[in-house]
Amino acid sequence: MFSRIAMLAAAGFLATACASNPAASPSSPAAPGSPSASTSPAAPATVTLSNVAATTTWLAEEKLIPEDPMLALVNTGARDTDNPAGISVHCKAANGTMTVHLGKQPATRVGQSATFRLRAGPGARDIEGKFVANPRSPEADFVFPVSSADLLALGQLDMISFVSDQGDVQWAFVKDASAQVQAKYIGSLKNYSAAARDFLNYCNPK
């Protein structure tokens, strides 16, 4: 059942992303998930500062009240979602709302709002969010809301990336750790689909 829902969600997500950027790939017939679609070149100025695609995986943790469920990219072998490797999804169990926390952002921007771009397959979608302080890091997080449908849809892709409001490719997440991509930070999509389903069970979004 979840598999069917995920496929429908992916179709809806990609349709929305492409609609928000209809000229994303007019001359490219490649389907989402194909090598050419999942390794679109980034801005030439993008320099990779950290590539943990081969050493990270996704984990969902239910947590006991008063703590809330979390979905996070963690170092392989680690079981602690409180120390994510750059990105996490938080659930407010009381009402089921979910927010993505994209880490390694400039602390000087805390309190500011911004519009990032989420690249998924051949399309892109604008994401409205805000920079917030990270109590466990000197850096900030870019925080934005996410729906359960989009959370599932992302697991159907070979690569997703986030472009900041300043035009740099901040993060890329890949299923194939050997994929040639350009981003400041590169993480894994390993175990993402299964972990996202577990997270939604724990979170029970409304």
Side-chain angles (χ1 to χ4, degrees), residues 90-178:
H90 299 226
C91 167
K92 289 293 184 185
N95 56 23
T97 59
M98 299 177 293
T99 53
V100 177
H101 289 236
L102 193 64
K104 299 189 179 297
Q105 307 298 323
T108 54
R109 300 201 63 183
V110 169
Q112 297 179 20
S113 297
T115 301
F116 277 34
R117 297 277 284 172
L118 169 59
R119 290 178 179 171
R125 175 189 291 186
D126 286 345
I127 296 174
E128 304 289 339
K130 189 173 184 177
F131 295 94
V132 302
N134 184 330
R136 293 175 176 270
S137 169
E139 298 166 311
D141 291 347
F142 179 70
V143 179
F144 58 91
V146 66
S147 70
S148 56
D150 282 352
L151 206 62
L152 289 171
L154 295 176
Q156 305 302 305
L157 301 166
D158 288 337
M159 188 194 87
I160 60 174
S161 59
F162 292 90
V163 182
S164 79
D165 58 335
Q166 298 177 347
D168 57 313
V169 185
Q170 273 270 312
W171 275 97
F173 299 94
V174 295
K175 284 187 175 177
D176 180 0
S178 66

